[in-house]
Amino acid sequence: MTAELALVLPAVVVVLLVCTTLGLAAVGQLRCADAARAAARAAAIGEPADVVLAVAQDLAGPDAAVTVTRRGEWVAVTVSRPVGAVLPGVEALRASAEARAWVEPGVVP
């Protein structure tokens, strides 16, 4: 029984690490999507740029990169953040999301 356990245990550990990394990536993606949506809404109702940034970083985390662009009647917010990887050598993962909102009438750019 010991030899079988010695062969199976590394595979079980790798599967657990992969599942944990996938879970962290999914949570990071959801945080980015929520942050982009809330920040786009804040920008659409005319909030100042520092408030829009604070909303996005409050939801996505302080290490999130936030980009706000206005194209005509639309405002687009892109939020990306690093995903905490558990697997060695997989630190380059980033979660990213973009949300757009129609700028409310009367809001000056």
Side-chain angles (χ1 to χ4, degrees):
M1 187 71 132
T2 311
E4 292 85 6
L5 183 63
L7 290 174
V8 172
L9 192 59
V12 170
V13 170
V14 168
V15 168
L16 287 175
L17 289 175
V18 167
C19 289
T20 303
T21 300
L22 289 175
L24 288 172
V27 168
Q29 182 65 33
L30 287 173
R31 287 181 70 182
C32 285
D34 288 343
R37 192 174 319 127
R41 183 67 190 138
I45 62 173
E47 293 290 344
D50 58 339
V51 173
V52 173
L53 179 66
V55 166
Q57 288 186 333
D58 185 44
L59 293 172
D63 56 347
V66 181
T67 305
V68 180
T69 55
R70 183 165 177 175
R71 298 179 194 123
E73 296 295 320
W74 293 89
V75 64
V77 177
T78 304
V79 178
S80 68
R81 67 184 302 270
V83 174
V86 177
L87 292 173
V90 189
E91 290 97 27
L93 293 177
R94 289 191 69 82
S96 179
E98 181 180 71
R100 296 169 192 233
W102 192 346
V103 177
E104 294 291 327
V107 173
V108 179

